[in-house]
Structures are given as C-alpha cells and as structure tokens.
C-alpha cells in the first residue's frame, strides 16, 4: 500500500484512518491544506474494490477541494472523507455516530458535508457527535431547501455567461444554442436558467423522464446520448459524468465554449491544451461548479441565501481573470486556474 508516493498525496497535512469494530466503520479522513481555513469537503460512501483505491480517491478529492475553495474565495481549506462500504446495505445510524466521533477528534480541522452515497439524514446522525458539519438546513431561510444543486447551477450559469461575454463581447444568450448533457439536479436547474435567458436548449440524458420534462417544460430539443457532445451548438455544458472530453470525443466537439457542472470533465490535462489549440474556450469545471460549496458554507454560518448568491456571482470575475491570463500567456484555462488557486492558498513545495 502506498500513501506518500500516491500521485494525489501532494503534501497532505493530515490523513486519518478511522475504524470502529462495533459498527464496522472503515473510513479515511484527508486534510489537504488549511492555509485559508478549516478544511471542508463531502463524505463519500462507496464500496471501493480495495483500500488503495479508497486512499487514492480521498486524497484526490481532498486536494481538489483546496483548489475549489481557494478560487471561490471562501475562508476554507480542502478536505474529504470516504467510508468504505455499500451505501445501500451498510448504513446504520451508529456507523455515522462513529464517523461523527472521528471528525470531532480533529477539533474542527475538518468540516464534513454530504456527498455521493451520503444524505442529509446521515449528516444529522454525524451532527449528534460533532458540530463540524456543513449544509444542515436550520429552516430559518425559506429559500434554503438543503439542496446545494440550484446554487451549483447558478454558479455554472454565471461562469457560462462570462465565457460568452469573453468570446463574443456580450453575455446576451438570446438564441444561443446550448447542448446540455445530463438533466439531473444541476443540469435541469441550469436548463431552466438558460431557457429564461432566451437560449435554445439541446439535451440528452439516459433517463427518458428527465428528457421529457426538459422538452415539455422548457421547449428543449432532445438528441441521443451519443450525439450530444458533437451537436451543432454554441456552448456545450457537460452536467453528467467526468472524463467526457477525451481522445475520442474531442475532435467531434463543434461548440466554441465548454461550460458545465460535471467534475473532472477533461480526461487528462492535455485535453485542456488541445481545446486551447482548437480555439475552444473551456471554463474550468471546479471554478464554475463551486456554488454548492459556497451555499454549504453560508448555511453553516447561518447567513441568508441572498449572501450566498452574491458570493456565487463573484465566480464571474474569477473565471474572467482566468480567461484573460490564459489568453495573455498562451496557456490552457485549466493550467491557469490551478496556478491561480495555488497563489491564493499559498502552495509550497
Ligand atoms: P445527478 O445524478 O442528479 O444528475 C446526473 C444526470 O446525468 C442524471 O440525470 C443521469 O441520468 C444523467 N446521465 C448519466 N449518464 C449519462 C450519459 N451518459 N449521458 C447523458 N446523461 C447521463 O447529478 P448532479 O447533482 O446533477 O451533478 C451533475 C454533475 O455535476 C456531476 O458530475 C457532479 O459531480 C457535478 N457537481 C454537482 C454538484 C451539486 O451541487 N450537485 C456540485 C459540484 C459538481
């Protein structure tokens, strides 16, 4: 087993292995960097095939949170936790109490939130043993449902408009054709915002009900999941899976702008460089999909949704700075985003 030599280790400040024989808990909490504040990141529950796979995942995700929070100007660092287990069959309240006790032992250096495989109910169980939990809705603001997805969609919408403005001089979306891959929690909210702004939607999802909703409620045109990346569109918004920009798909992309919610859209960094050479403006995913983490932070601080939204609007200025630097230095936008994040959190080594 390797930790220090894992490609995602990157000088993590702390990695904690939490086990609890009574509940069968096997979890890893990774704190990548706390230069800007306590680390915050979701708790993922997943039936990892091996412990090494779980270690790599938690390190990779925790490091990513440092970059995301730094670029969205939150007073937070990056962390993440994973529970090795099947969320369909291994969940018990006492398992999450044991997670809460493990988090409490870190004295606030790590703040947990919901992620793949965990739910608001699980966060409430964790909160019985630690107050270091983000995203629990106290019910004081009626506009707050506890779901970060609309906030993520809002940030993507802001970033997408900034990309249009940078490329075309105006952020008017009237008549612009936007291809949206994935109509889930974020994708559908994004489609609604684009529709209200006058854009024409072209959509695909593996779930026929989601497609039906977008066509009837938003007048979207449906295409197959094999066509969506290569349709004739001004903007491509990947909102389903990671790795969609890869050696196979890249040559087929006709959109001049890529701006979507999905994490890790580029299969490898070199695909960012290839997009630059093709003249495609790519809004780095982790920069424009940070609205959800902003809401988790403001919710935890008990501050109103109006403040969350104002903060999310600052994503526009950040992504513009990235586009400008990338154009000036002939670098990919992903490369520039990483360097800007490192400047902000003070990367050493
Ligand atoms: P979701 O599971 O609600 O939606 C994903 C949608 O994609 C589903 O409707 C699914 O049917 C569809 N899909 C799956 N495979 C597809 C394919 N091959 N082609 C077309 N559609 C396909 O997830 P979400 O919460 O909307 O998140 C979407 C993406 O955004 C994910 O990559 C997620 O990691 C990222 N993200 C989400 C948030 C958030 O606040 N929810 C925050 C940051 C990043």
């Amino acid at each position: 087993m390797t930790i220090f030599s894992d490609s995602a280790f990157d000088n993590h400040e702390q990695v904690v292995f939490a086990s609890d024989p009574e509940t069968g808990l096997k979890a890893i909490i990774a704190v990548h960097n706390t230069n800007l504040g306590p680390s915050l990141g979701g708790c993922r529950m997943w039936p990892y095939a091996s412990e090494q796979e779980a270690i790599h995942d938690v390190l990779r995700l925790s490091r990513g949170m440092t970059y995301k929070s730094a670029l969205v100007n939150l007073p937070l660092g990056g962390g993440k936790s994973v529970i090795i287990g099947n969320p369909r069959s291994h969940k018990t309240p006492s398992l999450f109490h044991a997670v809460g006790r493990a988090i409490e032992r870190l004295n606030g250096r790590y703040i947990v939130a919901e992620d793949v495989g965990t739910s608001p109910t699980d966060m409430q169980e964790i909160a019985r043993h630690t107050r270091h939990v983000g995203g629990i809705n106290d019910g004081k603001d009626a506009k707050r449902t506890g779901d970060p997805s609309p906030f993520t969609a809002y940030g993507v919408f802001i970033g997408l408009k900034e990309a249009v403005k940078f490329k075309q001089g105006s952020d008017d979306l009237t008549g612009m054709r936007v291809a949206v891959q994935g109509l889930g929690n974020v994708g559908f909210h994004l489609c609604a915002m684009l529709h209200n702004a006058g854009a024409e939607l072209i959509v695909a999802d593996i779930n026929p009900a989601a497609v039906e909703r977008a066509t009837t409620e938003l007048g979207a045109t449906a295409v197959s999941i094999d066509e969506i990346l290569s349709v004739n569109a001004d903007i491509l918004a990947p909102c389903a899976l990671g790795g969609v920009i890869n050696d196979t798909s890249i040559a087929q992309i006709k959109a001049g702008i890529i701006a979507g919610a999905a994490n890790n859209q580029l299969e490898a960094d070199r695909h960012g460089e290839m997009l630059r050479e093709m003249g495609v403006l790519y809004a780095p995913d982790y920069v424009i999909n940070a609205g959800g983490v902003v809401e988790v932070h403001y919710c935890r601080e008990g501050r109103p949704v109006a403040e969350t939204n104002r903060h999310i609007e600052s994503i526009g200025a950040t992504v513009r700075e990235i586009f400008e630097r990338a154009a000036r230095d002939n670098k990919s936008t992903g490369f520039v985003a990483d360097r800007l994040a490192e400047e902000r959190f003070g990367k050493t080594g």
Side-chain angles (χ1 to χ4, degrees):
M1 181 180 297
T2 58
I3 298 176
F4 291 113
S5 55
D6 189 293
S7 58
F9 181 70
D10 189 40
N11 295 319
H12 262 73
E13 286 179 12
Q14 194 172 11
V15 183
V16 171
F17 294 83
S19 84
D20 181 65
E22 263 175 42
T23 59
L25 175 72
K26 274 188 178 181
I28 310 167
I29 305 171
V31 176
H32 176 247
N33 188 290
T34 58
N35 286 359
L36 296 175
S39 69
L40 182 142
C43 175
R44 182 165 287 196
M45 185 165 186
W46 194 254
Y48 291 101
S50 68
E51 291 175 6
Q52 188 65 57
E53 196 187 301
I55 290 170
H56 180 69
D57 209 32
V58 76
L59 294 175
R60 179 180 72 83
L61 294 166
S62 145
R63 177 179 180 276
M65 287 306 296
T66 302
Y67 283 70
K68 181 178 288 204
S69 287
L71 274 189
V72 79
N73 286 316
L74 286 173
L76 294 170
K80 199 85 182 182
S81 54
V82 297
I83 302 171
I84 303 174
N86 190 330
R88 286 172 205 256
S89 50
H90 291 169
K91 276 189 185 181
T92 56
S94 51
L95 182 94
F96 286 102
H97 299 164
V99 173
R101 290 193 295 273
I103 291 169
E104 183 59 18
R105 285 194 289 272
L106 288 167
N107 286 321
R109 286 174 49 74
Y110 170 66
I111 302 161
V112 69
E114 203 187 318
D115 200 81
V116 176
T118 57
S119 67
T121 315
D122 302 333
M123 294 305 117
Q124 273 154 8
E125 296 297 350
I126 291 176
R128 291 172 65 164
H129 290 269
T130 181
R131 63 194 165 82
H132 305 300
V133 186
I136 290 187
N137 187 8
D138 63 8
K140 286 189 196 145
D141 190 329
K143 293 197 205 81
R144 184 163 269 148
T145 63
D147 175 9
S149 309
F151 298 94
T152 302
Y154 186 47
V156 173
F157 180 69
I158 297 286
L160 181 151
K161 281 212 306 181
E162 201 60 50
V164 172
K165 192 171 174 187
F166 187 77
K167 192 141 184 147
Q168 316 203 339
S170 151
D171 67 358
D172 184 1
L173 297 180
T174 312
M176 297 212 72
R177 289 163 59 86
V178 189
V180 182
Q181 180 191 45
L183 302 166
N185 290 320
V186 181
F188 192 82
H189 284 291
L190 176 65
C191 281
M193 291 173 200
L194 292 167
H195 174 69
N196 289 338
E200 275 180 42
L201 297 169
I202 306 159
V203 299
D205 196 294
I206 51 170
N207 175 3
V211 175
E212 170 73 21
R213 187 175 170 212
T215 53
T216 49
E217 290 182 24
L218 306 173
T221 304
V223 297
S224 76
I225 57 164
D226 298 328
E227 289 171 283
I228 190 73
L229 296 176
S230 59
V231 288
N232 217 339
D234 301 297
I235 303 153
L236 172 64
C239 296
L241 317 159
V244 290
I245 315 295
N246 53 44
D247 287 340
T248 316
S249 66
I250 201 160
Q252 295 161 20
I253 293 169
K254 298 193 186 72
I257 291 170
I258 299 178
N263 280 313
N264 305 313
Q265 289 165 33
L266 306 179
E267 193 176 71
D269 288 348
R270 68 190 160 80
H271 296 114
E273 187 54 36
M274 287 162 80
L275 289 175
R276 186 186 73 78
E277 285 165 8
M278 289 161 63
V280 176
L281 184 62
Y282 168 64
D285 46 19
Y286 76 86
V287 182
I288 67 168
N289 74 12
V293 70
V294 175
E295 165 61 0
V296 168
H297 173 72
Y298 279 81
C299 185
R300 183 165 182 271
E301 299 267 308
R303 283 155 67 184
V305 162
E307 285 189 34
T308 303
N309 286 330
R310 269 202 299 281
H311 192 127
I312 289 173
E313 282 154 18
S314 73
I315 288 176
T318 301
V319 84
R320 167 159 280 270
E321 184 176 352
I322 290 166
F323 293 153
E324 283 170 350
R325 277 207 206 186
R328 187 193 63 203
D329 300 342
N330 279 327
K331 298 284 188 201
S332 73
T333 52
F335 177 89
V336 170
D338 286 354
R339 301 296 84 75
L340 188 60
E342 287 163 2
E343 281 170 27
R344 291 193 182 174
F345 75 79
K347 182 179 166 75
T348 48

